[in-house]
Amino acid sequence: MDFNTAAETNIFDRPKILGKAVPRRDGPLKTTGRAPYAYERHDVAEGQLVGYPLGSAIAKGRILSMDTEAARAAPGVRAIVTTLDMEAMPVPSEMHTAHLFGGDKVEHYHQAIAVVVAETFEQARAATALIKVEYDADEGAEFDLLAAYEKMKDTPVDPEVSKGDFETAFANAAHRIDRTYVTTPQNHAQMEPQATVAAWDENGNVTLWTSNQMIQWAKKAVAKTFEMDVEKVRVDSPYVGGGFGNKLFIRSDVVLAALGAKAAGQPVKLAMPRPFVMNNTTHRAGTVQRIRIGTDAQGKIVALAHEGTSNTLPGGSGEDATNQSQHFYAADTLLIATRLAEMHLPEANAMRAPGEASGLMGLEMAMDEMAEELGMDPVQFRLVNDTDTSPATGKKFSDRNFARCLTEGAERFGWENRNTTPGSRREGDWLIGHGVAGAFRPSPATTSGARVRLQADGRIIVETDMTDIGTGSYTIIAQTVAEAMGMDIEDVEVRLGDSAFPVSSGSGGQFGAVSSTAGAYAACTALRREVARRIGHNDADGLSFARGNVTAGAKETPLVDIAPEGEIVAEDKVKFGSFRKDRMVATFAAHFVEVGVNAWTGEVRVRRMLGVCDAGRIMNPTTALSQVIGGMVMGVGAALSEEIAVDTAKGVFINHDLANYEVPVHADIPEQEVVFLDTLDPVSGPLKSKGVGELGLCGVAGAVANAVYNATGVRAREYPITLDKLLDGLPEV
Ligand code: MOS
């Protein structure tokens, strides 16, 4: 199916199942422990041994020697593979930066340097500790982003976007601010660590039962890393315990399990210990963001500059904090620039809403500061600078209802009753504050395929290598197919995550829901054509599919009667045409937050949150709500607690577990409300829906930060806003 023009009225405009609050299909399995995660795939391969990884204890340099003698002699040990046993394996893809294994060169702390395979986990772990490694560490490697920023900030860079004469417009602006914001590195902190069961067969085929967001990328990456034929690789990942970008790409668990299995001649399972997840995989880079805004006397933005600096390993791409500033607000002149500080911290890579999540932490605090400078209501300031066109590209948004997010949110939140003088409202021991922020995140779509199999009993099995990373893919794909075929949702079985299935979009960049449901729809359209043919029609136009029947004129045929001799299989994929690129397809939100800040201790408590989202048709209010609630919780973490602490002498992430890397829990946010405008965006895809998974995080931290300022009168420009950053400036008590 080619999606080459905006969707017209179609079956999804009179939905019976799509748009309903259907509960998560995998919910009962996950909450009762019956969903088998990668490390629990005990039944897929017999004789599984256990692998344990060893990571480098230096961040940069070379390994001179590895003594494995004691480890090899330890109880239960069956194989050891060290990085000195082979040349550096190829970097798995263009999206990877660091090597995953092989060779004597160390690029970052806890880069994998050995795997020990033993009969039990305890044996493997104990033996790993017996390996002696001699290093030659490079002196003078750079690990401190703020220090690097100080050195490079005055060096001119070519702007990414330069529209009009920013400097002159800024200098002549009636009002202006020039501020610098800092975000610290973050980790995805997904519940399920990376884990893989690997098994080779006698013909050199490898199967990897793993936890991954992008099955086809994983399959290709394994083939590239092992320099083998891609058709000899199978990847299976039906349940994923969270990813947030940390599982977009294969990591060393896949490579170590496969190497260990080969060396031991038996299947091997390996899960990353949590500290290894933090330092071995990827993180969201910290950023330093200089933002300048100039307005005219009425508050129209005449000049906007956003310069972002982030860290990366040499050759990587860091965290681009500036994207939203190119498109979100009407700005007469723009200056957008990024700087990359090459450092030897672990690999910086995508984490939920990469770019915008960090960039809006800067921009939306700057918008708040600018509104205050103007003496304007921050909601009003954003409304004044709303736009239907991206100032950077000149392209129109396909559908944009940001103003409605702001006005309906303000109404619902009771914004008019907010505290207007920072640091002035007190209830008992608590200073009360209110904050608002806007959110923007593109909503891309990408080719996605599926296969549908109409069974003799009238049921349908859907197969696609799409993943469900906690997002609801199983559920919304079932809804889409049930809707398209006019069936009960109970009669649709969805199978995901196996590379033996048609290639899908996978889960990433909040493109998964839009793309994979459209792919399932494409397959259903092919099936409808085939059903039509079986009942004597050239095509499915004019036929109706409802209540498990197909109706042609006066003749109604149960789907059960269509394939009595065996299943009918139809497969297709959706391809999104270039017309989509003529528009800006994006999602929007407004977030409103009330906080209490303890007047004596500076402790911040979120009291209530409201998010109003504009993301096209909401396919399932339950799963979409979960996505946005989860994103908002993550945003509170970004604002108040989440911070990878960097040992800037050694290049180690110190707080490498969930006791010390602090994420919010349910009790931290007593009241949380989400409203979906439930708009329609026919340019986005055949279902007229857009992504919500990343939107839910965008802007949230800025709203929290602005509320903290409003409560205290203290403007903390370095996230996370911990109480030490507030204490000195709190009002006298
Ligand atoms: Mo997302 S950071 O593309 O999983």
Side-chain angles (χ1 to χ4, degrees):
M1 174 185 282
D2 291 318
F3 185 68
N4 281 336
T5 54
E8 296 178 355
T9 301
N10 61 32
I11 51 167
F12 301 110
D13 291 313
R14 280 170 283 106
K16 297 183 185 68
I17 297 171
L18 199 73
K20 294 279 182 309
V22 177
R24 278 263 295 280
R25 288 206 144 187
D26 50 334
L29 294 175
K30 286 186 167 175
T31 50
T32 57
R34 285 177 296 152
Y37 291 98
Y39 200 67
E40 304 166 321
R41 302 294 295 274
H42 311 301
D43 56 336
V44 293
E46 270 182 55
Q48 293 179 24
L49 299 169
V50 182
Y52 197 87
L54 179 65
S56 167
I58 62 164
K60 185 165 187 284
R62 289 192 184 275
I63 296 176
L64 299 175
S65 68
M66 294 178 76
D67 176 356
T68 58
E69 202 183 322
R72 281 183 205 278
V77 171
R78 301 282 291 272
I80 295 178
V81 183
T82 80
T83 195
L84 298 182
D85 294 343
M86 64 189 72
E87 297 289 303
M89 299 174 88
V91 173
S93 77
E94 286 174 4
M95 306 292 278
H96 288 75
T97 310
H99 288 84
L100 295 187
F101 199 73
D104 66 350
K105 194 174 157 206
V106 175
E107 293 156 292
H108 64 86
Y109 187 85
H110 264 184
Q111 191 159 21
I113 59 170
V115 57
V116 175
V117 177
E119 282 153 23
T120 69
F121 170 81
E122 289 77 9
Q123 289 170 339
R125 183 177 58 179
T128 304
L130 299 175
I131 298 176
K132 293 193 193 77
V133 188
E134 208 185 336
Y135 299 97
D136 177 15
D138 282 6
E139 301 302 325
E142 190 68 66
F143 306 117
D144 186 340
L145 177 60
L146 293 181
Y149 174 73
E150 283 305 317
K151 275 187 248 167
M152 70 198 304
K153 69 177 183 186
D154 297 321
T155 312
V157 283
D158 284 336
E160 239 170 89
V161 177
S162 175
K163 180 196 168 199
D165 182 353
F166 164 81
E167 297 293 350
T168 304
F170 184 67
N172 295 333
H175 301 274
R176 67 183 84 88
I177 59 159
D178 179 351
R179 302 276 192 272
T180 299
Y181 305 94
V182 175
T183 65
T184 46
Q186 298 174 343
N187 185 270
H188 315 69
Q190 74 278 2
M191 287 288 279
E192 184 203 22
Q194 272 80 356
T196 299
V197 179
W200 296 85
D201 73 8
E202 60 280 6
N203 300 317
N205 299 303
V206 68
T207 303
L208 301 145
W209 294 273
T210 189
S211 186
N212 193 286
Q213 300 173 218
M214 303 289 298
I215 300 303
Q216 180 70 6
W217 289 3
K219 181 173 150 168
K220 286 185 176 163
V222 170
K224 180 155 182 254
T225 309
F226 285 84
E227 299 177 275
M228 60 191 283
D229 181 357
V230 72
E231 290 317 314
K232 288 181 163 302
V233 180
R234 182 177 157 218
V235 175
D236 187 35
S237 183
Y239 298 102
V240 178
F244 310 114
N246 205 17
K247 296 175 183 166
L248 281 170
F249 316 107
I250 65 160
R251 292 293 155 202
S252 65
D253 59 306
V254 172
V255 176
L256 297 180
L259 286 172
K262 201 172 223 178
Q266 241 172 276
V268 165
K269 67 171 180 174
L270 181 144
M272 284 197 195
R274 183 64 62 177
F276 205 71
V277 175
M278 300 299 239
N279 278 290
N280 175 268
T281 70
T282 63
H283 69 286
R284 189 202 296 284
T287 68
V288 183
Q289 305 175 38
R290 182 185 181 197
I291 299 177
R292 285 173 284 171
I293 305 177
T295 71
D296 66 15
Q298 287 73 44
K300 287 275 300 169
I301 297 174
V302 296
L304 173 62
H306 195 154
E307 295 165 81
T309 302
S310 68
N311 61 277
T312 176
L313 283 170
S317 54
E319 175 84 355
D320 176 11
T322 62
N323 184 54
Q324 72 290 319
S325 303
Q326 307 176 26
H327 312 296
F328 195 12
Y329 295 113
D332 294 342
T333 66
L334 277 175
L335 179 74
I336 304 290
T338 56
R339 291 178 173 84
L340 284 172
E342 290 194 348
M343 306 199 302
H344 284 268
L345 294 172
E347 179 170 330
N349 209 313
M351 177 168 145
R352 197 176 197 174
E356 281 82 0
S358 305
L360 286 159
M361 289 167 78
L363 180 66
E364 289 303 302
M365 199 177 334
M367 290 295 285
D368 202 61
E369 298 208 56
M370 190 71 236
E372 184 176 37
E373 182 77 24
L374 283 157
M376 234 171 136
D377 174 347
V379 169
Q380 186 60 24
F381 177 50
R382 287 172 175 84
L383 286 171
V384 163
N385 289 289
D386 193 24
T387 178
D388 63 0
T389 306
S390 157
T393 63
K395 292 179 190 176
K396 277 181 88 80
F397 289 100
S398 55
D399 191 50
R400 168 166 166 144
N401 302 280
F402 178 51
R404 271 185 66 198
C405 295
L406 286 165
T407 52
E408 292 180 28
E411 169 81 27
R412 205 172 181 104
F413 187 74
W415 182 247
E416 61 181 18
N417 301 320
R418 75 191 183 283
N419 173 46
T420 48
T421 308
S424 70
R425 188 178 292 186
R426 179 100 177 258
E427 288 177 16
D429 287 337
W430 297 87
L431 294 159
I432 308 300
H434 303 92
V436 64
F440 163 90
R441 173 76 184 163
S443 185
T446 183
T447 305
S448 195
R451 179 158 60 222
V452 284
R453 295 164 40 188
L454 177 61
Q455 304 296 291
D457 63 5
R459 296 170 67 257
I460 286 185
I461 297 168
V462 192
E463 295 172 336
T464 163
D465 83 359
M466 180 61 187
T467 47
D468 189 326
I469 61 173
T471 40
S473 309
Y474 280 108
T475 314
I476 58 173
I477 289 171
Q479 287 174 273
T480 303
V481 171
E483 192 72 56
M485 300 309 299
M487 302 171 57
D488 274 353
I489 192 166
E490 287 73 27
D491 292 333
V492 180
E493 181 188 335
V494 179
R495 297 178 182 170
L496 301 181
D498 189 335
S499 63
F501 299 153
V503 176
S504 75
S505 61
S507 300
Q510 76 169 6
F511 52 64
V514 171
S515 309
S516 67
T517 53
Y521 173 50
C524 288
T525 304
L527 179 61
R528 284 163 65 112
R529 270 198 305 273
E530 180 56 23
V531 168
R533 206 183 60 76
R534 301 261 173 145
I535 59 169
H537 291 259
N538 284 334
D539 60 53
D541 291 355
L543 303 191
S544 91
F545 290 77
R547 297 177 304 280
N549 298 312
V550 52
T551 308
K555 187 160 184 291
E556 198 171 75
T557 313
L559 287 178
V560 180
D561 295 346
I562 301 289
E565 311 299 332
E567 64 179 4
I568 301 177
V569 181
E571 183 176 331
D572 197 9
K573 55 177 170 256
V574 64
K575 285 194 207 150
F576 292 86
S578 60
F579 86 101
R580 212 177 175 277
K581 299 218 160 57
D582 299 337
R583 298 291 197 89
M584 303 290 301
V585 183
T587 57
F588 306 89
H591 287 280
F592 296 82
V593 174
E594 179 179 294
V595 299
V597 180
N598 188 286
W600 306 86
T601 67
E603 174 192 354
V604 179
R605 289 278 158 194
V606 172
R607 289 158 59 108
R608 60 192 179 101
M609 307 180 77
L610 166 68
V612 182
C613 300
D614 171 28
R617 183 198 304 283
I618 297 305
M619 293 187 256
N620 180 330
T622 300
T623 57
L625 177 72
S626 289
Q627 283 301 291
V628 176
I629 283 179
M632 287 163 75
V633 172
M634 209 170 191
V636 170
L640 300 178
S641 66
E642 284 187 49
E643 169 178 18
I644 291 178
V646 182
D647 179 333
T648 53
K650 297 280 185 201
V652 188
F653 295 159
I654 297 296
N655 50 346
H656 46 208
D657 58 39
L658 297 184
N660 292 293
Y661 184 85
E662 296 176 352
V663 299
V665 297
H666 288 87
D668 288 319
I669 309 169
E671 192 182 324
Q672 206 177 14
E673 191 186 2
V674 177
V675 174
F676 292 108
L677 297 184
D678 207 9
T679 49
L680 295 175
D681 191 336
V683 176
S684 176
L687 281 75
K688 306 176 188 174
S689 58
K690 293 189 276 200
V692 293
E694 295 186 326
L695 176 67
L697 169 60
C698 293
V700 175
V704 175
N706 295 337
V708 171
Y709 169 74
N710 180 257
T712 60
V714 183
R715 186 66 82 173
R717 299 189 182 90
E718 280 191 33
Y719 292 94
I721 303 172
T722 43
L723 51 82
D724 52 298
K725 294 168 187 162
L726 302 173
L727 269 177
D728 285 349
L730 288 181
E732 284 298 317
V733 285

